[in-house]
């Protein structure tokens, strides 16, 4: 086992969680817009199979892919980093009530 195996495993789990959040959000947006995956594929100029890859969460969702989806749907993507809440003993809590941190160089879109 390599020295970074534990961190790599945690990173992989975090990546999977973020991909699930992104694809769930995208699915909700498609439903809200009354659009199908085929509509999205046509708007993006890609195959329906590519959209299925994106929606499965298995694909490595790059910022470029997220931007292409957003542009095709005339939508915005918001990525926010938040500090994890910690209990008194230092364990990570499930709460996401911590305030987001924003770059001072770019305006935050709401």
């Amino acid at each position: 086992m390599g020295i970074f195996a534990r961190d790599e495993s945690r990173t992989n789990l975090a990546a999977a969680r973020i991909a699930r959040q992104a694809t769930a959000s995208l699915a909700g947006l498609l439903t809200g817009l009354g659009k199908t995956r085929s509509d999205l594929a046509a708007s993006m100029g890609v195959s329906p199979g590519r959209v299925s890859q994106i929606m499965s969460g298995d694909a490595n969702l790059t910022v470029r892919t997220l931007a292409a989806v957003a542009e095709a749907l005339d939508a915005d993507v918001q990525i926010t980093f938040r500090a994890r809440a910690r209990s008194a003993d230092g364990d990570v809590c499930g709460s996401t009530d911590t305030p987001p941190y924003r770059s001072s160089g770019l305006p935050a879109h709401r």
Side-chain angles (χ1 to χ4, degrees), residues 2-77:
I3 190 167
F4 297 112
R6 179 174 171 262
D7 290 339
E8 185 174 334
S9 177
R10 288 179 62 174
T11 298
N12 289 338
L13 288 172
R17 184 181 68 250
I18 291 166
R20 283 191 308 274
Q21 290 170 349
T23 56
S25 178
L26 175 54
L29 179 60
L30 284 173
T31 299
L33 294 173
K35 295 187 182 252
T36 65
R37 291 178 179 202
S38 294
D39 295 332
L40 177 56
S43 295
M44 291 179 70
V46 300
S47 71
R50 176 62 182 134
V51 171
S52 289
Q53 286 177 333
I54 293 167
M55 296 297 295
S56 73
D58 291 339
N60 184 7
L61 297 176
T62 65
V63 171
R64 187 173 200 77
T65 299
L66 296 174
V69 169
E71 288 304 309
L73 295 174
D74 193 28
D76 290 321
V77 175

